Amino acid sequence: MILNILGLWYFIIVCRICWEESKVGWPIMIYHRLIPYVVTHLILSTIQLVYLIPLYIIGNSYIMKHVGYNFSLCIWLFWGKIEWDGLEHISDKPCIWIGNHQSIIDMGIVTLLPCRTPLIGTSKSSIKYVPAAGIIALMCNTILIDRKSRRCADDFLLDSIRFLKNGHSINIFPQGTRKYGYPPKPFKYGAFNLSSITKTPILPYKITYNIGKGIRVQIYKLIEVEGFTSKELLTRVYNNIYFSSTENNY
């Protein structure tokens, strides 16, 4: 009975993910990768809970790293090798990682970002209802964003400030929701207000999916925030990610 309910829950989640990916513009041809990717990840996440929950109870701070093993295997199996460019731009100090958001696979790439400080992710609050993955997100201290809540912006800001003060970095997708291809969705101000208030530098990066050729992650130069307004930071990062050539960022 329990297995039947869990199987039905998984089936609903997979259908919902495929529908959402189609809605944001992903081509139909990726479904032969997306469906097995999601199913494999959900199964591995369920298995991982067997040892992640005890690690969480004893206060292990590397839950995100363990979750990354799961995503690394799934991405390698169904999407190929991840090519990293610009690793020399990574800072030893806390920063705000800001990237483009095209697919649910981006969330797996976040767990693999070569951050040199503990990394905190952000996600919409509905991830709580995804089997296994929701529990893991909470154990990783993921900052959940409820777009329907009026207190969402204040809670996001307070939680983010607390993590930054404790030496963590934060990953934010300022588009707010994923969108495949061009034109990209405009950025929201939350990440840039946070950077301006806390004086935390921004590390922009861009994820590029080459169907059949793997995934490329371009990390750009660290942006110090002193002397810039939130609007100026938003414009600079947006142009950096979408309209600057790789050569101009080295």
Side-chain angles (χ1 to χ4, degrees):
M1 181 66 177
I2 295 177
L3 290 177
N4 290 336
I5 294 174
L6 190 60
L8 178 61
W9 194 5
Y10 275 32
F11 176 75
I12 293 172
I13 291 296
V14 171
C15 290
R16 176 62 184 266
I17 289 173
C18 288
W19 174 75
E20 288 185 348
E21 294 295 277
S22 175
K23 186 176 65 173
V24 300
W26 271 91
I28 297 297
M29 64 178 290
I30 67 138
Y31 282 5
H32 73 285
R33 297 169 185 265
L34 180 65
I35 294 175
Y37 168 85
V38 173
V39 171
T40 303
H41 169 63
L42 289 175
I43 292 173
L44 291 178
S45 295
T46 303
I47 296 173
Q48 273 193 311
L49 284 177
V50 174
Y51 76 90
L52 287 182
I53 290 177
L55 285 179
Y56 178 74
I57 292 174
I58 65 176
N60 191 290
S61 60
Y62 294 97
I63 301 294
M64 177 81 85
K65 184 176 181 180
H66 288 279
V67 175
Y69 298 150
N70 177 348
F71 278 113
S72 180
L73 176 60
C74 293
I75 290 173
W76 176 77
L77 284 174
F78 301 109
W79 299 94
K81 182 181 178 181
I82 299 179
E83 177 185 352
W84 301 91
D85 292 323
L87 295 176
E88 66 272 20
H89 300 315
I90 299 175
S91 173
D92 293 326
K93 298 180 180 180
C95 58
I96 300 174
W97 290 69
I98 291 183
N100 60 322
H101 195 16
Q102 300 181 87
S103 169
I104 191 174
I105 296 101
D106 298 342
M107 305 304 296
I109 293 175
V110 169
T111 68
L112 303 173
L113 289 175
C115 188
R116 294 175 184 167
T117 60
L119 182 65
I120 300 295
T122 57
S123 176
K124 59 182 181 181
S125 60
S126 59
I127 196 175
K128 294 184 294 186
Y129 306 110
V130 178
I135 298 174
I136 290 175
L138 295 175
M139 289 194 296
C140 290
N141 294 316
T142 303
I143 300 174
L144 302 182
I145 301 172
D146 184 357
R147 297 170 189 155
K148 297 180 181 179
S149 172
R150 294 183 179 180
R151 295 182 54 190
C152 174
D154 292 338
D155 292 342
F156 162 78
L157 191 61
L158 291 174
D159 289 340
S160 299
I161 290 174
R162 174 167 55 86
F163 283 119
L164 289 172
K165 285 183 176 180
N166 289 333
H168 293 75
S169 293
I170 296 177
N171 181 85
I172 300 174
F173 295 123
Q175 293 171 219
T177 187
R178 53 193 184 272
K179 163 92 167 44
Y180 178 75
Y182 283 82
K185 295 182 78 66
F187 284 173
K188 300 181 186 299
Y189 277 95
F192 307 99
N193 289 336
L194 173 65
S195 177
S196 182
I197 291 171
T198 61
K199 306 303 179 186
T200 304
I202 293 173
L203 192 60
Y205 68 96
K206 182 176 183 178
I207 303 170
T208 303
Y209 292 92
N210 298 310
I211 304 300
K213 298 181 181 179
I215 301 171
R216 181 171 182 263
V217 180
Q218 174 67 54
I219 302 172
Y220 298 112
K221 286 183 177 179
L222 191 73
I223 297 176
E224 298 292 345
V225 302
E226 291 289 345
F228 293 99
T229 65
S230 297
K231 183 176 181 179
E232 290 170 336
L233 287 171
L234 184 153
T235 302
R236 185 175 179 183
V237 173
Y238 188 89
N239 290 337
N240 206 339
I241 291 175
Y242 290 113
F243 302 114
S244 295
S245 66
T246 301
E247 290 76 13
N248 290 338
N249 289 282
Y250 273 80

